[in-house]
Amino acid sequence: MKIIKRGMRLWITIASVFSFFGGWILLAHANKPAPLQFTQPAISAPASNSSFQSNNSNFPSGGFSFPIQSQPTFNRPILRTAGS
Amino acid sequence: MHYDQFRAMNSDVVLAASSNDQTQIKRGFYLTREYIRQAEQRFTRFTDTSELASLNRSAGDWFSVSPEMFQVLQAALSLADKTGGLFNPAVLPALKQAGYDRSIEEIKNTPVRGRAVQVLEMQDFRTIEFDLSARSVRLPEGMQVDLGGIAKGWIAEQAARQLANYSQACAVSAGGDIFLVNLPMDEPDWVIGLEDPLQPDHDLAILHVAPGAVATSTITKRKWQYNGRSQHHLIDPRTGQPAITEWLSVTVWASQAVEAEVYAKAVLIGGSVIAGELFSNYSDKAYLAVDQFGWVLGSKNYHEVFHV
């Protein structure tokens, strides 16, 4: 019985080690994903809501973002642009 | 600075003028008001008697138009081309289908029910034909045009140029589409509040700008409920549905009001990728966009134009 138990343990250990290294080698030699490339047509399907852009590198126009605190009402100029 | 405020074009209109001659200012305000009211009658789509309504009824046939209508339609065609079709005044059937078939005052507080929204095949405004010698236009069969935003910008600029005859410096603001002529005496620039799209009672920033045009396009103002779903007036011509935008509002400075208005709309619909393309070649225009977190994003050259 002891011999069978030891044999089983040994078999599981060896199988695990070989599986691990086998998987490693397989992944190391697999094809790498190509970097995403796309061209923007003049008119394209709308993008879904993008995630929050917090730095320059995410902003294709080369612009940047900055947070602004709303100004209190009493400081407001009469001319205001708000859209319609 | 003297001010006159009233409602027109379903928007708040503000006239601002500086001059030492108060009689001239009063006369200027009166004539500018009249001009705006008459122009509104010409370009509105909410009355059957307007020139625009007649033009839409004539789709498929040649239609002789006024010099004003001709000018706006030509500007619209040029800008539709420059924006790659993102600006498309032929979205009227889609707007009506989304429930915007009456003035915004009538629908914004009353949930509208109607037929289920279907995907419409959008017509391309760039297929409109012009006959310069006869000052006529031909809309393709079935095309229906809404000139709301571009007409408002155009009217603001024309009105401001008229008011400038009675003042040293002046501005006309029509629902946030502003045209500025000359600089107020002893002032280095014009001061304009950038309204917070999420808190209309607050300004996000104070902008200092040179004479020219400032226009904002937003999805937070003209919105309503249709069949239980929230809708807004900014139709994406690629889908025929209210646009899904990454930003809440976009403000553009340009030398002409129609350009500022149309580029603001196109950038709001197209988002950051389109913004990068549209503004990469234009150092004489700049934009500021506000996202849903209240962050303001600027074009590369924003600091040359908007002194925030």
Side-chain angles (χ1 to χ4, degrees):
Chain A
M1 199 63 180
K2 263 188 177 179
I3 294 172
I4 294 171
K5 271 188 178 177
R6 280 184 184 173
M8 286 285 283
R9 279 181 191 152
L10 188 66
W11 166 245
I12 289 168
T13 307
I14 291 168
S16 300
V17 170
F18 271 89
S19 298
F20 175 77
F21 283 108
W24 187 314
I25 291 164
L26 200 70
L27 285 174
H29 287 84
N31 290 333
K32 304 289 183 298
L36 287 176
Q37 289 180 338
F38 63 91
T39 51
Q40 182 66 36
I43 198 167
S44 63
S48 59
N49 282 357
S50 73
S51 57
F52 181 48
Q53 294 171 324
S54 60
N55 59 45
N56 299 356
S57 59
N58 286 338
F59 201 50
S61 64
F64 67 97
S65 55
F66 48 98
I68 290 182
Q69 189 70 43
S70 289
Q71 308 264 335
T73 305
F74 54 82
N75 273 346
R76 298 171 87 189
I78 291 179
L79 287 175
R80 305 174 60 249
T81 185
S84 57
Chain B
M1 190 68 72
H2 301 268
Y3 296 97
D4 187 17
Q5 301 187 42
F6 55 99
R7 287 282 296 174
M9 301 181 281
N10 294 317
S11 303
D12 293 320
V13 176
V14 180
L15 311 180
S18 72
S19 169
N20 294 329
D21 189 338
Q22 294 222 7
T23 313
Q24 281 285 83
I25 294 267
K26 268 189 177 175
R27 179 161 176 71
F29 280 165
Y30 171 76
L31 292 174
T32 306
R33 268 191 186 226
E34 285 304 301
Y35 176 82
I36 290 172
R37 291 205 190 285
Q38 285 172 16
E40 180 182 10
Q41 294 308 310
R42 185 185 306 285
F43 290 106
T44 182
R45 71 175 169 95
F46 298 116
T47 64
D48 290 337
T49 53
S50 72
E51 186 178 352
L52 181 64
S54 302
L55 172 65
N56 280 332
R57 281 195 297 271
S58 79
D61 297 319
W62 284 97
F63 184 78
S64 178
V65 294
S66 64
E68 293 86 352
M69 182 64 77
F70 201 71
Q71 209 175 327
V72 172
L73 289 171
Q74 283 200 309
L77 175 62
S78 164
L79 289 161
D81 206 33
K82 284 180 181 171
T83 58
L86 267 185
F87 167 64
N88 182 1
V91 295
L92 184 52
L95 263 179
K96 285 180 175 173
Q97 188 186 239
Y100 193 8
D101 54 357
R102 286 155 281 164
S103 73
I104 195 69
E105 270 89 0
E106 290 179 66
I107 60 171
K108 73 176 172 187
N109 294 322
T110 315
V112 182
R113 300 205 74 80
R115 286 194 305 177
V117 174
Q118 296 170 338
V119 177
L120 290 178
E121 193 177 328
M122 301 298 297
Q123 286 192 288
D124 191 335
F125 181 71
R126 290 171 289 181
T127 54
I128 187 175
E129 294 173 77
F130 287 89
D131 182 340
L132 293 173
S133 56
R135 210 203 307 129
S136 298
V137 295
R138 183 182 168 279
L139 300 182
E141 191 87 44
M143 183 182 281
Q144 299 283 289
V145 171
D146 175 29
L147 296 173
I150 190 171
K152 196 185 291 178
W154 184 86
I155 292 168
E157 178 166 346
Q158 303 307 312
R161 293 192 186 284
Q162 181 166 314
L163 185 55
N165 295 325
Y166 301 90
S167 57
Q168 172 266 326
C170 67
V172 172
S173 169
D177 284 4
I178 305 172
F179 194 78
L180 311 156
V181 182
N182 299 333
L183 282 173
M185 220 173 293
D186 302 327
E187 296 288 343
D189 38 39
W190 284 92
V191 179
I192 292 171
L194 174 63
E195 185 176 293
D196 185 341
L198 291 173
Q199 299 180 77
D201 295 340
H202 290 67
D203 286 336
L204 268 178
I206 305 298
L207 309 176
H208 297 260
V209 297
V214 178
T216 297
S217 194
T218 182
I219 57 167
T220 61
K221 290 264 173 175
R222 289 178 193 259
K223 56 182 186 177
W224 63 94
Q225 292 285 319
Y226 185 73
N227 287 349
R229 289 188 62 188
S230 183
Q231 307 279 343
H232 63 78
H233 76 301
L234 210 67
I235 298 291
D236 187 333
R238 298 168 295 188
T239 62
Q241 309 284 326
I244 299 168
T245 65
E246 62 186 276
W247 294 328
L248 297 179
S249 72
V250 173
T251 299
V252 169
W253 185 95
S255 57
Q256 292 186 322
V258 289
E259 282 189 322
E261 161 68 32
V262 167
Y263 275 80
K265 187 173 285 182
V267 168
L268 186 52
I269 293 173
S272 52
V273 174
I274 296 293
E277 290 185 0
L278 284 179
F279 281 78
S280 61
N281 300 324
Y282 297 115
S283 59
D284 60 335
K285 299 179 187 64
Y287 74 86
L288 292 172
V290 181
D291 73 9
Q292 61 267 42
F293 300 98
W295 280 63
V296 182
L297 304 102
S299 56
K300 232 187 303 191
N301 62 338
Y302 96 92
H303 57 281
E304 296 165 17
V305 175
F306 299 106
H307 303 283
V308 182

